[in-house]
């Protein structure tokens, strides 16, 4: 029986061998392009994210089919990587040879140490802050040294690039984190009296400590850093890290411009941020996006602190530094938001003294600026409001008072402290103007807004390639103030996004203007710019007469507001 079985098994084994050979032969006849196309269907779907040691992807298993399948699979698995800083050694070990060419996107998480449960109820201690600074520094240096080694290895003895060189890629610096943070935040939600949660980090800013250790990198084309929520990074540190990437074409930062209860910290951060900005390599830069987060008080009786240094209370260094950066030779797009606290020096320094601080020789000039977007705060750098109280009728005042009281009651119910809570959110919000709701400032201050609009018009007159400009106050309600410019051929977009839950009760219609002509749209209610401003805008046009329109609002009629319709209706006019 054993002999018979052996005899019977022989054809089966031969058949299997023949089948395997046929499959191998079939695969061998396929081009690499076709195999790559097949591999793209193995695990379809957008947004696939693969961490080096925590992947849920089944793709790596297909790499064993053949050498060319391995190439096709690795092209996908190594194309976009999420990397924790404690995985940097593993990252360096597996990214060798041709795999480096596959990397297009690298998302990097700096990982900090854990901390004991007993400190959940306390703000982060200065000793812990200093320790985290060292860990953050080591995490950044570790990554940059690996990436620099790639660039060095990709050069032969003659200094020429090899065929296997790594290609340019995008780097995303994700918000640093401690493994204990999630437990601390969750314990705050479940047992408020035992943890400060995210409030534990309200006075903490991570700092990079040793810039001499940071090597220059030339193959990162896009750098994004959104480090503004919990584990915030000091702005100056981020600038100096970015400055070591000398080939950047696009920069996207999201930072925090506030230390809620210690204004001097925010003032120093802003000042050092401004002084560091000239260190950036701006020659290859084409797009710069800065979201410098600073909450706007909803209690308009609140007096915000100044963001300027007490020793230099009249100079807005950050606006001046951004003014210089905006004139970079190849910069085509600039987006500033937060909303950003600015002065007219952002567009046009007011005096020769402050103009010299901007380091821009002669008159300001933006040779290649095509798109400029600025979302500015209704609060000036010195802490004063840019808008005044609107005079209302007695009926309107009574209605507004009732609405404010209702909003206050809703807010109080939301933040009502639980018994034994170690952090009273309502009290803290009151101290920084986020409670109660008292929104009544709608009239532009004649001492501030006209100067800002004049500076903007002067700057626009020196932007020969400008296609689109949006400058708006934010949050948009209740101010509804802004100006937008569209060059010929640029499509109109509504001032008010219907997807925004704060403005669902507002209805606006698009102006019926010829898109072949330049257009200037103002949403300024009853306010109007001085003639000098309009003359500067008209004077920059060489492609046809400038179409100027003003947006105004009125209360909706009962018929218009019925069945959930808008309570505010807007219309356009040319005066």
């Amino acid at each position: 029986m054993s002999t018979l079985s052996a005899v019977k098994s022989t054809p089966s084994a031969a058949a299997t061998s023949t089948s395997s050979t046929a499959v191998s032969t079939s695969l061998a006849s396929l081009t690499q392009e076709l195999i790559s196309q097949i591999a793209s269907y193995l695990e379809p779907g957008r947004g696939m994210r693969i961490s080096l040691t925590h992947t849920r992807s089944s793709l790596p298993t297909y790499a064993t089919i053949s050498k060319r399948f391995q190439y096709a699979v690795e092209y996908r698995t190594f194309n976009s990587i999420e990397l924790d800083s404690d995985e940097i050694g593993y990252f360096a070990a597996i990214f060798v040879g041709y795999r480096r060419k596959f990397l297009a996107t690298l998302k990097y998480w700096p990982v900090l140490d854990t901390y004991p449960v007993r400190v959940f109820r306390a703000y982060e201690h200065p000793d812990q802050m200093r320790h985290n600074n060292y860990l953050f520094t080591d995490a950044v240096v570790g990554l940059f040294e690996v990436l620099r080694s790639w660039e060095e290895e990709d050069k032969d003895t003659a200094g020429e690039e090899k065929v296997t060189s790594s290609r340019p890629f995008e780097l995303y610096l994700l918000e640093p984190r401690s493994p204990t943070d999630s437990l601390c935040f969750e314990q705050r939600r479940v047992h408020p009296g035992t943890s400060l949660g995210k409030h534990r980090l309200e006075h903490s800013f991570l700092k990079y400590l040793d810039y001499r250790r940071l090597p220059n990198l030339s193959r990162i084309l896009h750098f994004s850093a959104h480090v503004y929520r919990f584990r915030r990074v000091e702005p100056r540190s981020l600038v100096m890290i970015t400055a070591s990437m000398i080939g950047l074409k696009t920069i996207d930062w999201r930072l925090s411009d506030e230390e809620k209860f210690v204004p001097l910290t925010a003032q120093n951060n802003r000042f050092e941020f401004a002084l560091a900005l000239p260190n950036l390599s701006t020659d290859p830069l084409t797009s710069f996006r800065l979201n410098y987060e600073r909450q706007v008080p909803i209690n308009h009786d609140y007096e915000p602190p100044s963001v300027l240094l007490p020793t230099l209370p009249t100079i807005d260094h950050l606006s001046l530094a951004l003014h210089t950066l905006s004139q970079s030779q190849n910069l085509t797009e600039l987006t500033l938001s937060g909303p950003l606290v600015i002065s007219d020096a952002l567009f046009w320094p007011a005096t020769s003294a402050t103009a010299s601080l901007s380091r821009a020789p002669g008159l300001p000039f933006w040779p290649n600026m095509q798109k400029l977007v600025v979302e500015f705060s209704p609060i000036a750098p010195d802490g004063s409001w840019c808008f005044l109280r609107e005079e209302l009728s007695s009926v309107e005042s009574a209605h507004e008072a009732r609405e404010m009281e209702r909003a206050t009651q809703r807010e109080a119910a939301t933040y009502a402290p639980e018994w034994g809570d170690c952090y009273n959110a309502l009290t803290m919000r009151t101290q920084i103007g986020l409670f109660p709701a008292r929104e009544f400032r709608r009239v532009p201050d004649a001492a501030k807004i006209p100067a800002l609009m004049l500076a903007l018009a002067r700057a626009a007159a020196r932007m020969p390639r400008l296609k689109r400009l949006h400058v708006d106050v934010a949050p948009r309600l209740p101010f509804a103030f802004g100006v937008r410019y569209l060059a010929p051929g640029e499509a109109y977009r509504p001032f008010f996004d219907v997807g925004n839950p704060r403005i669902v009760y507002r209805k606006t219609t698009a102006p019926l203007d010829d898109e072949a002509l330049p257009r200037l749209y103002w949403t300024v209610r009853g306010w109007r710019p001085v003639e000098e401003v309009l003359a500067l805008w008209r004077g920059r046009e060489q492609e046809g007469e400038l179409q100027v329109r003003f947006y105004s609002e009125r209360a909706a009629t009962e018929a218009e507001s019925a069945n959930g319709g808008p309570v505010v209706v807007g219309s356009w006019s040319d005066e």
Side-chain angles (χ1 to χ4, degrees), residues 270-278 288 316-328 345-346 349 354 357-359:
R270 184 182 171 98
F271 175 67
E272 293 175 356
F273 183 22
L275 294 187
L277 276 174
F288 181 79
D316 182 7
H317 292 88
L318 183 58
S319 288
L320 289 168
L322 291 172
H323 170 77
T324 300
L325 186 148
S326 69
Q327 297 173 73
S328 299
L346 173 65
T354 54
L357 290 173
S358 73
R359 305 183 186 182

Side-chain angles (χ1 to χ4, degrees), residues 5-37:
S5 298
V7 172
K8 288 184 176 180
S9 67
T10 301
S12 177
T16 302
S17 176
T18 303
S19 175
S20 176
T21 302
V23 171
S24 300
T25 303
S26 298
L27 288 175
S29 66
L30 300 179
T31 64
Q32 184 64 55
E33 182 180 3
L34 186 55
I35 290 177
S36 298
Q37 186 69 16

Side-chain angles (χ1 to χ4, degrees), residues 133-142 144-145 148 208-216 244:
N133 291 340
Y134 283 108
L135 294 176
F136 176 65
T137 300
D138 289 343
V140 174
V141 170
F144 277 49
E145 286 180 344
R148 180 60 186 174
Y208 184 88
L209 299 177
D210 189 357
Y211 302 110
R212 293 172 297 180
R213 294 175 59 193
L214 209 55
N216 286 339
S244 67

Side-chain angles (χ1 to χ4, degrees), residues 296-302 385 401 403-412 415 425-440:
V296 176
I298 61 174
N299 180 2
H300 290 181
D301 285 320
Y302 175 73
W385 288 87
E403 289 301 311
M404 287 184 178
E405 183 59 32
R406 290 170 183 165
T408 298
Q409 292 173 358
R410 288 194 300 269
E411 188 87 356
Y415 290 95
L426 194 62
T427 299
M428 296 300 183
R429 290 173 67 84
T430 301
Q431 292 178 4
I432 56 176
L434 298 179
F435 182 85
R438 295 286 186 270
E439 295 180 301
F440 53 76

Side-chain angles (χ1 to χ4, degrees), residues 136 204-208 211 223 225 227-228 232-243 253-258 265-277 280 290-293 318:
F136 176 65
S204 302
F205 281 89
L206 284 167
K207 298 181 180 181
Y208 184 88
Y211 302 110
F223 178 58
V227 285
Y228 69 100
R232 300 170 295 177
V233 174
E234 175 197 53
R236 175 179 179 269
S237 294
L238 188 63
V239 174
M240 301 309 293
I241 292 171
T242 308
W253 290 337
R254 194 164 185 178
L255 305 169
S256 173
D257 185 30
E258 59 185 343
T265 299
Q267 293 164 358
N268 287 329
N269 281 350
R270 184 182 171 98
F271 175 67
E272 293 175 356
F273 183 22
L275 294 187
L277 276 174
L280 291 178
L290 168 64
N291 188 313
Y292 203 21
E293 296 256 334
L318 183 58

Side-chain angles (χ1 to χ4, degrees), residues 510-535:
L512 301 177
D513 289 321
D514 186 353
E515 291 189 1
L517 297 174
R519 288 142 290 153
L520 186 66
Y521 297 133
W522 299 84
T523 172
V524 290
R525 308 187 77 200
W527 185 84
R528 292 292 182 269
V530 297
E531 185 56 37
E532 181 182 1
V533 170
L534 296 178

